Amino acid sequence: MMKDKDLKIILTEYAGNPGHLKKDTFIRSVTKDAGKEHVSTFKMIAVQAGYIRVYVWLISIAVACLPLFGADMFRFAILDVVADLMPFVAGVGIIEAMRARMYDMTELESVTLLSGKGVFYARMILIGVVQFALIPVSAVLMAFADTGSVIDHCVKLVLPYCITAIICLIVERTRFGRENVLVCLAVAGAVFAIRQSLVSFARYDPGSLTLTIAAAVLIIVQIFEFYKTVRTVGTGEVEWN
Amino acid sequence: MDIELYYDKIYRYIFFKVNNRTLAEDLTQETFLRFLGAECEQPERFLYTIARNLCIDEYRRIKPLSTEDEEALAVSCEFENTLVNSLTVRKALESLNPDDRDMLILRYVNSEPIQDIARFYDMSRFAVYRRIKEAGNRLKKLLEGGN
């Protein structure tokens, strides 16, 4: 008579095992969303607002409000002074958005309630919106001390800000940028130096219309570069691959 | 709930009912998808109940296999079964009472404790043990006769 053990083997072998690939794919897809709390964009941004360091806000507000206190000191050069500082505002903003990398916390950030991508997205939106909102504030304050129009001032502040932000975002996607977070400050320094040589020394002025068009194009390019960078966050991808 | 732990058990339970690997895999996944949306105190029992109901739905939906299909099934399973011809096992299992067959599979293939099987069927442990033992002996005889 056949033993129970043999019958068990026969029946188990007859049934076989489910396909491993299909099983794994299914379990992954089912467990992926299980226990994951949906976080709205607003909540994500609100959470990140608390994590952005005070000095970023202070620098942004200080530069924006500089015309209020520095107008008497710098007289008509106040626009140039604020515009010269804009690259550093942008650089500090990008560094803050990429802060996790500075402390090698990217992996940890990727497994928290908010994904690494989400954190970067929220921080960039928050810092970008606040800094962009401060530009017209600064322009209005300057208009009181200067004879130029508010739009002209806005454009002249947006240009160095956007150029720096775009270059920083591009550099952030390269291996060199990923390994050297403070490279954003170097980029800001370079933009500052170029602006100084073009505007302050060479007195280059292409006219309001050209500058306005350039600013509009740069804003679009910056948004494009922002989304391009968000896509690569947490994937380990760098520009050359 | 650990899906990994129950996946194979549910798959085997369904396979013995539908005799088709692809269909068994699909129904296993369907079982878990239905299970995940519900809350229950006895997950194992609930899973088996969903699986059984899905199989019943499937019986109603599909047409019975023709002789040609059965031969094709036997040929396709032949290389996987080195000990006994799959068709023999299948015929032997089909000759058992459906409840006895389910209890046998739960006990022998899925290694479920007698106590749990008794709870699934609302029977005493002794009754379940006796039915499994009898069904097992009948199956053994059929298989030995088939060889």
Side-chain angles (χ1 to χ4, degrees), chain A residues 1-4 7-19 22-24 26-27 30-31, chain B residues 3-4 7-8 11-12 15-16 19 21 25-26 29 36 81 83 86 90 108 111 133 140 144:
Chain A
M1 183 86 168
M2 191 189 284
K3 287 180 183 171
D4 281 354
L7 181 64
K8 190 177 173 173
I9 290 168
I10 289 169
L11 291 175
T12 311
E13 283 187 354
Y14 173 67
N17 290 314
K22 203 171 175 182
K23 178 183 162 184
D24 285 350
F26 174 73
I27 292 173
V30 166
T31 51
Chain B
I3 299 175
E4 180 99 42
Y7 193 95
D8 288 10
Y11 164 78
R12 290 195 192 109
F15 175 77
F16 277 104
N19 270 304
R21 288 186 198 286
E25 282 180 337
D26 290 346
Q29 296 189 352
L36 289 170
N81 293 283
L83 292 172
S86 62
R90 198 181 134 188
Y108 279 78
S111 305
K133 195 77 189 162
K140 282 175 196 169
E144 281 169 343

Side-chain angles (χ1 to χ4, degrees), chain B residues 16-80:
Chain B
F16 277 104
K17 285 181 172 292
V18 296
N19 270 304
N20 182 319
R21 288 186 198 286
T22 315
L23 184 60
E25 282 180 337
D26 290 346
L27 291 180
T28 305
Q29 296 189 352
E30 182 64 28
T31 304
F32 281 100
L33 288 176
R34 290 192 186 191
F35 172 81
L36 289 170
E39 283 186 16
C40 58
E41 287 177 2
Q42 297 176 345
E44 213 161 324
R45 185 178 180 179
F46 192 40
L47 273 172
Y48 282 120
T49 307
I50 298 171
R52 191 174 56 199
N53 290 342
L54 281 173
C55 291
I56 291 168
D57 290 346
E58 201 58 32
Y59 291 148
R60 288 178 185 150
R61 207 174 58 80
I62 56 169
K63 286 183 278 183
L65 287 175
S66 66
T67 319
E68 282 177 12
D69 291 336
E70 286 187 356
E71 281 167 6
L73 180 76
V75 170
S76 67
C77 295
E78 206 168 37
F79 66 95
E80 294 172 8

Side-chain angles (χ1 to χ4, degrees), chain A residues 206-226:
Chain A
S208 294
L209 184 67
T210 316
L211 289 177
T212 309
I213 293 168
V217 170
L218 284 173
I219 289 171
I220 294 165
V221 173
Q222 191 185 336
I223 292 167
F224 174 71
E225 290 296 335
F226 163 60

